[in-house]
Amino acid sequence: MIRPDLSDEVAGALAAGRPVVALESTIVSHGLPWPRNLELAQEVAGEVRAGGAVPATVAVIDGRLRAGLDAAALERLARGAGVAKLSRADLAVCMAEGRTGATTVAATMIAAARAGIDVFATGGIGGVHRGAETSFDVSADLRELAQSPVTVVASGAKAILDLPKTLEVLETLGVPVLAVGQDAFPAFWARDSGLPAPLRMDDPAAIARAHLARGALGLAGGQLVANPIPAEAEIPLAELAPLIARAEAEVAAEGVTGKAVTPALLDRLRALTEGRTLDANAALVRANARLGAAIAQEIAAARAGGAKAPAPPL
């Protein structure tokens, strides 16, 4: 089985049983404009380190799947020229062709599982797109959560999606959805989607125990930890909803389809909110990195059967 090429730091941490947090790379290549994308990647890695864990950004560089990128590789992704957006369907093709690509949630989970990394922190997962009953547009992220044994920390699913159907599919696939600090399922930039979360766990140690219990039971897949955006950075859903509807209409009128839809909607919403969604995105990803580091610490401590180093407050 192919496993990712690990940086020396990531390889050393995994060999020693120290906590590692995987990070995706599409937020670097496709999620934010240059140079804010590179700055945020560095900030998120810093949050993981401040939480006592080692960051492992995942990408395909010249055909090699890697976990843990040096500064040159990260900047190459951030500049974006010729960088593919990779999910489960195109990951192997990109590698076979010797190309460079940034990993989505699904592809990052695959790499993390192959590398032996338990925790992955991101912004928001993909899900069921609006109109999926006719388009069948459902993100591969959902099925990957049911297959790869990785705990994914995200601020729910992206607010542009059909959130009720996304939760229904996750339930059908047997994926635990754990809200943190509240009973409501968050909606990316908004703390409350208006939908109840199926489960709630507020303690990183309890989340770590649930992760380990799934493995002990032999259950396939991971779990989604739905961490709401910090209150000070929130854009409430009541404000977002009409803007999302406008962005959807404009993108549809332009004939955008497939993988291009999500980045086009995010770009349009960035303009409609005068950059507030960009700031909110940065805030929630940093918060998820902090929580991911805390969970990774607890998993490492449980496996070692000893005390962990104290983590800073979330």
Side-chain angles (χ1 to χ4, degrees), residues 123-226:
I125 64 163
V128 180
H129 284 259
R130 301 180 191 196
E133 61 272 17
T134 56
S135 69
F136 294 92
D137 191 350
V138 179
S139 171
D141 296 353
L142 303 186
R143 186 166 292 281
E144 203 59 52
L145 277 159
Q147 295 180 122
S148 291
V150 178
T151 286
V152 178
V153 183
S155 294
K158 294 182 175 70
I160 58 176
L161 300 170
D162 187 323
L163 298 181
K165 287 186 177 66
T166 297
L167 284 174
E168 287 290 347
V169 171
L170 286 168
E171 180 182 13
T172 298
L173 294 173
V175 177
V177 178
L178 315 172
V180 177
Q182 62 182 40
D183 295 321
F185 183 65
F188 203 48
W189 303 304
R191 291 177 61 84
D192 188 346
S193 67
L195 301 168
L199 298 163
R200 174 175 174 172
M201 277 188 168
D202 298 346
D203 180 12
I207 296 169
R209 289 195 297 272
H211 173 94
L212 294 169
R214 286 186 66 80
L217 285 167
L219 295 176
Q223 53 188 10
L224 175 61
V225 177

Side-chain angles (χ1 to χ4, degrees), residues 20-288:
V20 176
V21 175
L23 302 170
E24 65 156 288
S25 48
T26 51
I27 193 171
V28 181
S29 63
H30 294 79
L32 297 170
W34 168 270
R36 184 64 186 112
N37 51 358
L38 180 60
E39 295 168 351
L40 182 59
Q42 294 164 340
E43 291 167 11
V44 171
E47 295 285 2
V48 172
R49 293 186 193 283
V54 171
T57 303
V58 173
V60 174
I61 306 294
D62 296 328
R64 302 292 298 184
L65 182 60
R66 292 171 56 178
L69 302 182
D70 57 22
L74 204 57
E75 180 169 342
R76 179 176 172 184
L77 292 174
R79 291 191 177 274
V83 177
K85 182 179 180 183
L86 305 177
S87 190
R88 169 175 274 268
D90 27 38
L91 178 61
V93 172
C94 182
M95 294 172 64
E97 294 180 338
R99 296 164 55 208
T100 291
T103 53
T104 61
V105 168
T108 305
M109 287 187 73
I110 291 168
R114 301 297 186 275
I117 299 172
D118 295 288
V119 179
F120 161 37
T122 185
I125 64 163
V128 180
H129 284 259
R130 301 180 191 196
E133 61 272 17
T134 56
S135 69
F136 294 92
D137 191 350
V138 179
S139 171
D141 296 353
L142 303 186
R143 186 166 292 281
E144 203 59 52
L145 277 159
Q147 295 180 122
S148 291
V150 178
T151 286
V152 178
V153 183
S155 294
K158 294 182 175 70
I160 58 176
L161 300 170
D162 187 323
L163 298 181
K165 287 186 177 66
T166 297
L167 284 174
E168 287 290 347
V169 171
L170 286 168
E171 180 182 13
T172 298
L173 294 173
V175 177
V177 178
L178 315 172
V180 177
Q182 62 182 40
D183 295 321
F185 183 65
F188 203 48
W189 303 304
R191 291 177 61 84
D192 188 346
S193 67
L195 301 168
L199 298 163
R200 174 175 174 172
M201 277 188 168
D202 298 346
D203 180 12
I207 296 169
R209 289 195 297 272
H211 173 94
L212 294 169
R214 286 186 66 80
L217 285 167
L219 295 176
Q223 53 188 10
L224 175 61
V225 177
N227 185 35
I229 183 173
E232 65 274 11
E234 178 187 25
I235 307 175
L237 203 59
E239 182 180 348
L240 277 172
L243 298 179
I244 291 172
R246 178 177 167 184
E248 287 175 332
E250 292 174 355
V251 168
E254 293 174 3
V256 180
T257 59
K259 286 186 179 182
V261 170
T262 295
L265 286 172
L266 297 179
D267 283 342
R268 197 60 51 89
L269 286 165
R270 187 181 305 130
L272 291 173
T273 61
E274 299 180 337
R276 286 177 63 202
T277 56
L278 189 153
D279 294 336
N281 199 23
L284 65 87
V285 173
R286 289 194 300 265
N288 295 341

